[in-house]
Amino acid sequence: WGVASPSVSDYTLWQYTSTGSMPGIKGYVDISHDKGVVSSNPADKVIKIAREQEGYIEKASRDNLYNKTANPGYGNYTKFGYEMHLIQPSNMDYPAAWCDSFVDWCFKTAYGIEKAKQLLCGDFDDYTVRSASFYQKAGRWFKSPKYGDQIFFKNKNGICHTGLVEKVEGGYVYTIEGNTSVSGIKCYGGRVCRKSYPLGDTSIAGYGRPDYDGICGRQ
């Protein structure tokens, strides 16, 4: 807004004036240029949904589930766990640790229930060990990350935490995670955060890779 032309090439909409005119409308109108940019990467949908949840804080009780910051606490009450439990109570406990519920919720919201299950290689599940096993059994388990992967972390007891890969750059993997804290690998931190780790971090167990192209298709 307010420039002769956009400073970036990948814009979608550029409002170039607020003093335009349109037949049949009295006074000035905003006029914009719609570049008509459509994402060519199906993973963009789930990453966009995940980014929008940044700053969401776990609730102390069932109140204010849909307010990002109200009623903060460590009761494991979230909209992610609540909605996934309604869809599949057998595999999605509530209230319960919710890092995996967050990932499943993002896929469900982005692609719908059936396609989300296919992308997750079989099913929704809030137990990170089982979620990782779905990818492993499907031959979609990798040691190097790509944009849109599901990242899994481990401790001395095994796989314990998960999130989504937002970017891989400069020797780091950038993530969006639920039930974590601002820094470090935290399995029970209470919020949605964007984070980064060295690619060689020994706490990273591996990456599950949804088949975005095969299931969603390129746009």
Side-chain angles (χ1 to χ4, degrees):
W1 165 246
V3 295
S5 63
S7 59
V8 295
S9 61
D10 61 347
Y11 69 91
T12 300
L13 194 69
W14 165 39
Q15 182 182 330
Y16 60 87
T17 183
S18 61
T19 57
S21 61
M22 290 288 288
I25 299 178
K26 292 183 179 180
Y28 294 133
V29 297
D30 298 341
I31 302 180
S32 303
H33 176 238
D34 182 357
K35 193 176 181 182
V37 175
V38 178
S39 169
S40 61
N41 192 331
D44 288 347
K45 292 181 70 175
V46 71
I47 297 302
K48 177 179 183 295
I49 294 293
R51 285 171 177 159
E52 291 170 353
Q53 310 313 309
E54 182 182 9
Y56 182 96
I57 298 176
E58 178 181 330
K59 311 306 176 189
S61 66
R62 298 177 188 272
D63 297 334
N64 298 112
L65 292 182
Y66 290 88
N67 184 302
K68 268 191 174 182
T69 56
N71 191 27
Y74 293 94
N76 280 319
Y77 293 100
T78 67
K79 66 179 181 180
F80 316 114
Y82 171 69
E83 290 189 15
M84 295 311 299
H85 178 72
L86 291 178
I87 292 169
Q88 195 156 307
S90 61
N91 287 11
M92 310 299 294
D93 296 329
Y94 183 73
W98 53 279
C99 61
D100 215 328
S101 295
F102 168 70
V103 172
D104 288 359
W105 182 92
C106 289
F107 274 95
K108 179 269 299 183
T109 304
Y111 306 105
I113 292 173
E114 294 310 314
K115 193 169 284 187
K117 287 184 177 184
Q118 289 180 279
L119 288 165
L120 295 166
C121 291
D123 210 348
F124 299 131
D125 205 306
D126 64 3
Y127 182 35
T128 53
V129 175
R130 278 198 295 266
S131 290
S133 75
F134 294 152
Y135 291 108
Q136 292 163 351
K137 291 174 182 176
R140 303 198 64 82
W141 182 257
F142 297 89
K143 288 298 183 182
S144 298
K146 284 187 177 181
Y147 172 72
D149 281 356
Q150 185 171 355
I151 185 172
F152 290 88
F153 299 91
K154 62 184 178 181
N155 59 21
K156 63 181 181 180
N157 298 315
I159 291 174
C160 61
H161 183 59
T162 190
L164 286 165
V165 174
E166 180 183 20
K167 182 172 64 173
V168 182
E169 184 176 276
Y172 283 80
V173 56
Y174 294 80
T175 65
I176 309 172
E177 304 163 32
N179 203 13
T180 191
S181 61
V182 175
S183 62
I185 296 173
K186 301 289 185 181
C187 302
Y188 304 102
R191 66 178 59 211
V192 176
C193 298
R194 296 166 83 173
K195 303 169 76 167
S196 64
Y197 308 89
L199 288 173
D201 195 310
T202 57
S203 295
I204 299 174
Y207 304 89
R209 185 157 303 153
D211 183 11
Y212 293 106
D213 289 342
I215 293 169
C216 300
R218 291 273 171 173
Q219 296 181 17

